Amino acid sequence: MSAILPSGATLYDRVRRVVPPIEWLTFLDDIEAILALKRERNAVILAHNYQTPEIFHCVADIVGDSLALARKAMSADADVIVLAGVHFMAETAKLLNPQKTVLIPDRRAGCSLADSITAEDVRQLRQRYPGVPVVTYVNTSVEVKAESDICCTSGNAKAVVESLGVPRVIMLPDEYLAKNIAAQSDVEIIAWKGHCEVHERFTPADIRQLREDHPGVTVLAHPECPPEVVTEADFSGSTAAMCDYVERQKPPRVVLMTECSMSDNVALAHPDIEFIRPCNLCPHMKRITLANIRTALEQNHHAVTIEPGIAGRARLAVERMLAI
Ligand code: 13P
Ligand code: SF4
């Protein structure tokens, strides 16, 4: 298989445990084209942990959770950033890199959380709770961020809420993340009713069944899961925190209650760990493919633009988060 690396290994070696050879052959042409296009256009590809292994391990330059992607977008030394993830991530990258071209390979890559709330909803909440600061999850549109005091991700939500030094905050739009943070903090949290369509499907009964079927399994749950799921898990944290947990603790058998490509990506780095893989796919993340990354670079599809009046206020909310 081609695409030889300087080490002498092939790109296929990175993914051979989860990508069958026949499937790899269908990827090769796009992978080689993307690697050439990145050089030609001085482009980098930022990929979220939920991207499929051939994207995550073979064409991405920077990978991570939402927080890492936002941070690393700022220092990306490139003219073009392709965001292999969902639309709000591309908007965040554009907010932090207004001079760079930021491309999202499929504009329809949305998010059920981002779709659950509008800027008008935030304005009405502010009227209902005057003076209470608004903490907004990055999984929101740029218009919603512009109405917020500060953003957070699942990786820093507790620190952000507590950094404000107030007894009460509004935390939008993920009801479960808000409740999971409230359970760890003395700050009172007013939540919204948004849910992640991937994580809301996990139940405590799933965990009990997994423990029965796979004795000794360590259960890690994303904080977008319902609180009763997080309570039954052994650990809860952002996608990056789950990767770190596996790296540090090396549990012999583990299940990640999150989007299923992540298990493939993490399993590749840990051949000695048994990963149990219940599969909840995020249909939005799965809109990104090698083929549309290639088209994005060839045809400059689809450049993210943000109205300057909104960008300034939204950037402030993201920068306040990054300063913590
Ligand atoms: P993190 O990678 O920040 O944990 O977020 C998970 C997620 O669902 C992003 O859409
Ligand atoms: Fe949104 Fe959930 Fe998909 Fe993440 S996994 S992009 S929160 S729908």
Side-chain angles (χ1 to χ4, degrees):
M1 312 259 165
S2 79
I4 312 273
L5 302 171
S7 64
T10 67
L11 263 187
Y12 184 53
D13 291 333
R14 294 183 182 173
V15 293
R16 67 167 67 244
R17 287 177 43 243
V18 292
V19 176
I22 189 97
E23 204 181 341
W24 176 254
L25 290 175
T26 68
F27 294 151
L28 210 45
D29 188 46
D30 284 332
I31 290 178
E32 285 176 344
I34 290 167
L35 298 180
L37 283 158
K38 281 200 300 181
R39 286 190 295 271
E40 264 165 49
R41 297 206 56 193
N42 189 25
V44 289
I45 299 179
L46 270 56
H48 185 261
N49 289 328
Y50 295 162
Q51 291 297 297
T52 47
E54 68 281 5
I55 295 175
F56 189 90
H57 289 282
C58 299
V59 298
D61 301 284
I62 293 171
V63 295
D65 66 352
S66 312
L67 182 59
L69 294 185
R71 280 197 192 288
K72 292 175 186 169
M74 273 199 308
S75 53
D77 180 17
D79 299 321
V80 179
I81 295 174
V82 180
L83 205 304
V86 291
H87 195 263
F88 74 81
M89 296 176 176
E91 280 187 337
T92 306
K94 181 67 182 174
L95 281 176
L96 298 170
N97 292 275
Q99 311 307 336
K100 290 179 187 154
T101 299
V102 176
L103 304 175
I104 176 90
D106 187 328
R107 272 211 196 92
R108 296 167 302 169
C111 170
S112 64
L113 282 169
D115 287 345
S116 73
I117 190 158
T118 64
E120 179 54 26
D121 292 328
V122 186
R123 288 192 286 271
Q124 287 189 11
L125 277 166
R126 281 201 188 274
Q127 276 176 16
R128 199 175 327 148
Y129 300 101
V132 180
V134 175
V135 177
T136 293
Y137 199 29
V138 285
N139 299 39
T140 45
S141 68
V142 75
E143 289 81 6
V144 166
K145 288 185 178 75
E147 298 296 329
S148 312
D149 294 291
I150 187 164
C151 286
C152 73
T153 72
S154 58
N156 62 14
K158 183 169 182 278
V160 168
V161 163
E162 295 184 342
S163 74
L164 299 173
V166 293
R168 198 154 79 131
V169 303
I170 299 169
M171 191 172 171
L172 309 170
D174 187 344
E175 179 187 14
Y176 297 148
L177 178 70
K179 288 187 169 162
N180 287 323
I181 297 301
Q184 307 164 29
S185 174
D186 292 335
V187 179
E188 185 196 337
I189 296 184
I190 300 161
W192 185 250
K193 284 278 181 205
H195 298 145
C196 162
E197 67 188 86
V198 176
H199 293 96
E200 71 175 351
R201 300 211 300 269
F202 291 112
T203 67
D206 293 337
I207 299 190
R208 289 194 283 270
Q209 192 63 52
L210 282 160
R211 291 198 195 278
E212 206 176 303
D213 295 346
H214 307 278
V217 70
T218 299
V219 180
L220 313 186
H222 194 276
E224 289 170 8
C225 291
E228 53 283 13
V229 169
V230 167
T231 308
E232 291 247 356
D234 299 301
F235 173 80
S236 175
S238 75
T239 55
M242 286 193 259
C243 296
D244 289 349
Y245 184 100
V246 172
E247 182 68 41
R248 270 196 328 271
Q249 306 289 334
K250 302 212 180 328
R253 201 173 230 198
V254 70
V255 58
L256 310 181
M257 311 296 277
T258 192
E259 211 271 349
C260 61
S261 287
M262 183 159 134
S263 296
D264 287 339
N265 291 330
V266 184
L268 282 168
H270 298 284
D272 300 337
I273 296 179
E274 182 191 356
F275 282 77
I276 314 297
R277 303 180 201 201
C279 195
N280 281 1
L281 277 175
C282 172
H284 312 290
M285 288 281 179
K286 263 52 237 190
R287 284 196 182 276
I288 308 302
T289 62
L290 287 172
N292 61 26
I293 292 175
R294 177 179 180 170
T295 310
L297 283 164
E298 281 170 347
Q299 300 179 22
N300 224 35
H301 281 172
H302 300 272
V304 177
T305 53
I306 302 173
E307 211 235 282
I310 290 174
R313 290 182 291 136
R315 187 177 302 117
L316 212 57
V318 174
E319 283 174 351
R320 284 194 188 120
M321 166 185 87
L322 293 175
I324 287 178

